[in-house]
Amino acid sequence: MNGKPTVLFYIVVSLVVIGLLAFAGYRFYTHFQADKPNNAANGATKSGSSTDSQTQPTASVDQRILAKIVPAREIPTLEPAGEYKPQGDVIDVELSDWPGYAPMILANGGLEPNSDSYYARKHGFKLRIKLSEGESESWSALNSGKMGASSTTVDVLALYGSQLKVEVPVQFDFSRGGDGILTLKEITSINQLKGKTVAVAQQTEADFFIRFLSQEAGIELKPLKGWEDSRDPERINLLFTETAEDAAELFKAFVAAGSKDLAGCVTWNPFIYDVPKEHPDKVRLLTTNRNLLIIADVLIVNQAFAKANPAMVQGMVDGIMWATQELRRNPEPYLPLIAKAFDQSVEDFRESLKDVHLSNLAENLAFFSNQPGKIGTFSEIYYSAVYCYGREIIRNPVPPERLVNRKYLEELERGGTYAGQVIELGPSEEIDKKTVLEGNPLLTKQIRFLFEPNSTKLDLNDPGNQRALKDLLQLLKLAPGSYLVLRGHLDNSQVPEFKRQGEAFYRKQAVRAVEMSKARAEAVKAVLVENGVDPMRIDTDGRGWDEPIPGAPPEENRRVEVQLYTLE
């Protein structure tokens, strides 16, 4: 060795120096970042406005409330099918705590077997009724033969239909106001929920309610795996809970914390009224299903039991129809019995009955018919649910006719006991049409009807027009307490040419554009009226070429936009 540094020495020294510089740079960067304001945690964008896309909830929200959030899940697997065998003359039935099931409780004289009940006196059997909230657990018991009958809604039945071996012999009711959507005060329509986060109990009627309305508004949904999951700015983001009550508690906690990270929730009575009362300046009841007939409750019976005991099933259906008739005529004598079963005061139960429309025989026959009619049918609601959930969730939907057995209702019709009953479904309350239309539409639905250029004739041979008309007729049937505003539009491709010919010529053509766009809306209205829609439920408006779809080709601007207003 000659005492001079070697090449290796210089390499080692250089690496040490580079390492020290890198470490110093890292410490400076982390110190600088720690001193920066955390806009995401504060729920603010660069402009200071609130955002719904962050993944960390406001720190002041109680962690016990946040624990109510559950991940999106597969449809639970039910126990294998088995036959239910009654214990002597007693049939085990499990119902949820919903006032629409009052007829079965009345016919049984309460929850326990009752020898003096309508069922016992006329049909020779009694029910042992249990009230429960765990539907999937109940269905496993029903499917495997541990009970004879239960209840559900048609939309939820669509989720489990491929697993259940059941018969659906009768409809209990339509929910009319029991379910609703709460939102922040500034949100006034379903369309404004795009890019926002909404809490809902998954795979329940509440889940179907928001899916149905978002579908009608033309907005896709994103089910979230949890709070940390990224939001989609072009979809309504669904955050799941186990129950509708949990969804309300979660939303209320965010509102109380001053956070807008959660834009709303889907829940039911009493929470749809209680939360806005607690926070009148921050929360609105956006809508209920009072005038949207899409939540229908039905009886489901163990299939093997029904085949072995058709007389008992016939008796159950008759008892429900008898009690429905009694409750619709005069509920007062029966309220103490039913209120006791639901562990409510008579006054509270009387009030809760306002949220249901108990379905008589005439309405049942129409509901289970495959023919177009005045009300939505079992099949229509069932297929709506299949479509709303999609094949990712309902992979192998069974045809609805495989579940329904109309013979019990048809036997009652032949017997004539309930002759003279009529369909009495309509708007649940009378509100001046002008008052309704002065408010905000519940949803705006983009529908494209094809028109030839400079023509107001609607082409009814076009498959797209046929589909659009079918969708509108279906929506009006499911929403009897609603009005439509049809807003006609023209394409604006000729506007530059009109302007080149002078201001006077341009203004003249603009007036003609408004007239033609209104005529196109009137053409759609005429076809709806021809199909039985009351013309008083439809208004038309011409917007000319002033509201084009950005970036759309001319043919897509020759369109009619539909706005739905509901009576609330």
Side-chain angles (χ1 to χ4, degrees), residues 250-265:
L250 188 66
F251 178 53
K252 187 168 68 171
F254 274 78
V255 171
S259 170
K260 296 188 176 182
D261 297 349
L262 195 57
C265 71

Side-chain angles (χ1 to χ4, degrees), residues 93-132:
V93 175
E94 190 161 312
L95 306 174
S96 65
D97 190 3
W98 169 245
Y101 305 137
M104 179 168 262
I105 294 172
L106 174 57
N108 193 55
L111 299 178
E112 297 301 321
N114 187 338
S115 298
D116 195 37
S117 67
Y118 181 89
Y119 281 141
R121 287 184 283 105
K122 185 167 183 180
H123 296 289
F125 65 82
K126 303 180 280 288
L127 304 182
R128 183 185 295 111
I129 301 175
K130 177 184 176 184
L131 298 183
S132 173

Side-chain angles (χ1 to χ4, degrees), residues 308-373:
N309 303 276
M312 284 185 165
V313 180
Q314 184 70 59
M316 281 195 281
V317 173
D318 174 54
I320 292 169
M321 290 296 93
W322 167 81
T324 294
Q325 179 176 263
E326 293 296 302
L327 289 169
R328 285 177 59 157
R329 282 176 177 171
N330 181 19
E332 290 302 318
Y334 308 110
L335 292 184
L337 170 71
I338 305 171
K340 180 181 178 181
F342 284 109
D343 194 24
Q344 294 183 19
S345 68
V346 170
E347 292 74 18
D348 287 345
F349 185 74
R350 183 187 294 111
E351 191 67 22
S352 67
L353 271 180
K354 295 178 181 179
D355 288 338
V356 302
H357 174 91
L358 300 176
S359 298
N360 64 20
L361 180 60
E363 291 158 351
N364 260 272
L365 290 168
F367 181 71
F368 288 108
S369 171
N370 289 323
Q371 302 301 317

Side-chain angles (χ1 to χ4, degrees), residues 493-502 505:
S493 59
Q494 297 300 312
V495 169
E497 177 61 29
F498 295 152
K499 288 184 175 180
R500 278 194 293 269
Q501 297 188 44
F505 183 81

Side-chain angles (χ1 to χ4, degrees), residues 420-552:
Q421 292 184 351
V422 296
I423 297 173
E424 297 179 0
L425 278 164
S428 65
E429 49 188 290
E430 293 296 328
I431 298 181
D432 179 63
K433 178 182 177 181
K434 181 175 181 294
T435 302
V436 174
L437 296 181
E438 285 175 350
N440 295 300
L442 173 61
L443 59 85
T444 298
K445 186 180 179 74
Q446 295 287 350
I447 294 181
R448 176 182 149 205
F449 292 95
L450 291 181
F451 291 87
E452 293 299 321
N454 301 311
S455 172
T456 60
K457 183 179 180 180
L458 182 63
D459 181 8
L460 293 177
N461 294 317
D462 179 79
N465 288 346
Q466 293 173 358
R467 285 192 300 271
L469 287 169
K470 181 180 178 182
D471 287 347
L472 280 182
L473 290 169
Q474 175 72 1
L475 179 60
L476 286 167
K477 184 162 58 174
L478 294 174
S482 64
Y483 294 114
L484 288 183
V485 174
L486 304 174
R487 294 160 61 96
H489 301 266
L490 265 66
D491 77 74
N492 62 345
S493 59
Q494 297 300 312
V495 169
E497 177 61 29
F498 295 152
K499 288 184 175 180
R500 278 194 293 269
Q501 297 188 44
E503 183 66 21
F505 183 81
Y506 168 73
R507 289 185 178 181
K508 182 179 180 180
Q509 298 307 313
V511 171
R512 291 184 61 192
V514 171
E515 293 171 346
M516 181 175 288
S517 62
K518 182 173 175 63
R520 287 177 172 175
E522 288 286 346
V524 176
K525 176 180 177 178
V527 176
L528 290 171
V529 172
E530 288 174 6
N531 282 271
V533 178
D534 183 351
M536 295 299 294
R537 297 180 63 190
I538 308 171
D539 272 22
T540 59
D541 185 21
R543 309 302 292 177
W545 55 52
D546 291 337
E547 298 176 3
I549 300 173

